[in-house]
């Protein structure tokens, strides 16, 4: 029974590490590919959108 608990604990730690790494990779990919680090001025964008027509 103790071996099973240790196995479950190791599996949970492994799953947590994998989830953390994948989350960081996804966040880095978003910032590099989509430019999510750019600060958008929403008011200026809305102003341009309404004055284009």
């Amino acid at each position: 029974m103790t071996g099973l608990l240790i196995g479950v604990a190791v599996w949970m730690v492994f799953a947590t590490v994998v989830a953390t790494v994948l989350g960081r990779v996804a966040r880095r990919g978003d910032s590099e590919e989509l430019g999510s680090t750019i600060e958008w001025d929403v008011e200026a964008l809305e102003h341009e959108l309404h004055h284009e027509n």
Side-chain angles (χ1 to χ4, degrees):
M1 184 70 173
T2 304
L4 180 64
L5 291 175
I6 292 172
V8 169
V10 168
W11 179 253
M12 293 296 290
V13 169
F14 178 73
T16 303
V17 169
V18 169
T20 302
V21 169
L22 289 178
R24 290 183 183 206
V25 167
R27 185 179 307 146
R28 182 178 301 144
D30 285 346
S31 66
E32 289 176 0
E33 293 295 324
L34 302 176
S36 63
T37 58
I38 298 173
E39 295 293 327
W40 294 101
D41 185 3
V42 177
E43 291 180 15
L45 293 173
E46 287 180 1
H47 180 73
E48 289 180 22
L49 180 66
H50 292 299
H51 290 292
E52 281 183 4
N53 297 331

